[in-house]
Amino acid sequence: MSDKVTLSTGVLTREPDTITAVINLANVDKNNSHRITVEVLDWSSYSDPVRLPVLIGDNVPVVFPYRLAGNNLAVMYVDLDESVDLYEIRITSHKHKKIIANCFGRSLPPYTSQQGNTVLQSQLFKMN
């Protein structure tokens, strides 16, 4: 049995004003860092989803697995252009780790959260 768990937002329809999908990851374990993998899949073709590049900071591609230090927050994001109608976010980490993930769509400045693209930790679907 795997010691990892994968959580999914399910396939989301990109709201018209959404330009990025944002993944907030908080490691609330003050003593330990944890490795996390994030995948964002473009399901617009309805089959064979395409993995989109995940970025952090000033458009820096994230190298996975990403080591999130204890008591730290990572804000990752994916640019969603108009060709992306359907997308899914998957987050993989070790079971029983103190990682909190929240996902949401964000509009152009002033960067408002897009209600239809918000999936909170308690709403994520456990895939395995």
Side-chain angles (χ1 to χ4, degrees):
M1 185 170 211
S2 176
D3 65 339
K4 294 184 178 181
V5 62
T6 299
L7 303 174
S8 171
T9 58
V11 178
L12 301 171
T13 301
R14 183 183 62 81
E15 293 293 320
D17 290 338
T18 300
I19 61 162
T20 56
V22 179
I23 305 97
N24 287 344
L25 300 164
N27 179 358
V28 296
D29 182 341
K30 64 181 177 180
N31 298 315
N32 299 296
S33 64
H34 298 295
R35 292 182 179 172
I36 302 165
T37 298
V38 174
E39 296 174 284
V40 180
L41 305 171
D42 178 358
W43 280 95
S44 300
S45 68
Y46 294 88
S47 64
D48 300 320
V50 175
R51 199 177 280 175
L52 299 172
V54 178
L55 307 170
I56 194 168
D58 238 354
N59 295 320
V60 177
V62 181
V63 176
F64 293 107
Y66 181 84
R67 184 173 291 278
L68 183 57
N71 258 5
N72 271 265
L73 170 71
V75 179
M76 299 179 187
Y77 58 96
V78 173
D79 292 325
L80 300 175
D81 62 32
E82 290 181 3
S83 70
V84 179
D85 294 322
L86 302 166
Y87 69 97
E88 175 191 9
I89 299 170
R90 294 181 184 175
I91 302 158
T92 303
S93 64
H94 284 79
K95 290 181 181 176
H96 311 298
K97 301 300 179 188
K98 297 178 180 179
I99 303 296
I100 299 171
N102 291 304
C103 308
F104 59 95
R106 187 169 57 188
S107 71
L108 287 169
Y111 300 121
T112 56
S113 296
Q114 301 299 295
Q115 191 61 31
N117 293 138
T118 299
V119 181
L120 303 177
Q121 172 78 29
S122 63
Q123 299 168 317
L124 293 168
F125 172 77
K126 185 177 174 185
M127 295 182 67
N128 55 346

